[in-house]
Amino acid sequence: QVQLVESGGGLVQAGGSLRLSCVASGSIFNINAMGWHRQAPGSQRELVAAIMSGGSTNYADSVKGRFTISRDNAKNTVYLQMNSLKPEDTAVYYCNADTRPRAGVRIDYWGQGTQVIVSS
């Protein structure tokens, strides 16, 4: 199993910045990729950004150029730097770990979520 603990959410004005952190523990050697998802009230959870074990990244179109996902392997931590925040970025942000414990098996783990509120 993998445990994920997020931090860094809060209230910020439009145009401001926040950095989210996600610390992973447990069977981290099975992690294939880690990502950040978000869910706004009344909306489905959506992928914001992901970073693969090899280091490649991908982003939702809505955050490209504003958000950056990165990781510190020594600290087992993934970050989401969010700049130029907009009110529509308001959501609960969840850290996700895509693990492959054995061939053909994928197990996803989720953090508890951290609230981001962007005021206009």
Side-chain angles (χ1 to χ4, degrees):
Q1 290 194 348
V2 172
Q3 294 78 41
L4 303 171
V5 178
E6 303 118 330
S7 61
L11 172 65
V12 65
Q13 288 189 330
S17 298
L18 283 174
R19 188 177 80 157
L20 306 182
S21 300
C22 174
V23 180
S25 61
S27 300
I28 60 174
F29 47 85
N30 288 328
I31 294 177
N32 176 62
M34 292 191 69
W36 289 94
H37 294 65
R38 67 186 180 188
Q39 187 167 19
S43 299
Q44 289 188 330
R45 191 172 297 188
E46 62 175 358
L47 174 67
V48 175
I51 185 165
M52 309 307 160
S53 56
S56 61
T57 59
N58 63 72
Y59 297 90
D61 287 344
S62 60
V63 306
K64 283 181 181 177
R66 299 189 298 124
F67 291 11
T68 302
I69 188 169
S70 62
R71 66 186 184 194
D72 183 333
N73 290 332
K75 297 181 179 179
N76 298 328
T77 301
V78 172
Y79 303 98
L80 184 68
Q81 178 67 43
M82 304 185 293
N83 299 327
S84 303
L85 282 161
K86 304 175 181 180
E88 51 263 43
D89 294 318
T90 294
V92 178
Y93 284 70
Y94 297 91
C95 181
N96 164 264
D98 160 8
T99 70
R100 309 296 172 95
R102 53 191 178 276
V105 175
R106 171 176 173 168
I107 300 176
D108 281 88
Y109 294 92
W110 296 89
Q112 79 284 359
T114 185
Q115 177 75 58
V116 172
I117 299 174
V118 184
S119 63
S120 57

